Amino acid sequence: MDANALGELKIKYQEVIDLIAQKKPMEAALKLSEVTEKVNDLIDYATSDKELQALSPFQILSNHLQLKIDLLKLPLN
C-alpha cells in the first residue's frame, strides 16, 4: 500500500461526505459501499501492522458515515 492509495481513499470519503451534505443518502450509501469495500480489500492484503494502523481510521470513518446516512434516510420512510 502506498500514499497514493490513502490519498484516493481520502478523496472518495470526501465525495461521500459531500453527498451527505447535499442530502443525497442513496448516492452516499452507494459510494460509501464502494469505498468501504476498497478499505476491506486493502486490509485483507496488508502486509504489516503499520498498514493496518493506517487503515483503521478509515474503518471507523466508514461506520460513522453509515450512521449519518441511516439518520438521513429516516425521513424518507
Side-chain angles (χ1 to χ4, degrees):
M1 183 180 64
D2 57 5
N4 190 33
L6 292 178
E8 288 179 26
L9 286 177
K10 289 178 184 179
I11 291 169
K12 293 196 180 288
Y13 275 110
Q14 186 59 52
E15 292 172 4
V16 173
I17 292 167
D18 292 344
L19 289 168
I20 292 171
Q22 296 169 13
K23 306 282 191 227
K24 297 180 179 178
M26 299 305 190
E27 293 92 338
L30 288 173
K31 179 72 78 173
L32 181 60
S33 175
E34 293 171 9
V35 72
T36 300
E37 184 176 333
K38 177 70 174 173
V39 169
N40 290 337
D41 288 345
L42 289 170
I43 288 171
D44 288 344
Y45 295 106
T47 57
S48 70
D49 287 342
K50 188 173 183 179
E51 289 179 349
L52 292 174
Q53 288 174 340
L55 292 167
S56 177
F58 291 108
Q59 280 187 305
I60 294 167
L61 182 58
S62 287
N63 292 337
H64 181 73
L65 292 175
Q66 186 61 55
L67 290 173
K68 291 291 185 185
I69 291 168
D70 290 345
L71 288 174
L72 197 57
K73 287 180 181 178
L74 284 178
L76 299 176
N77 292 333

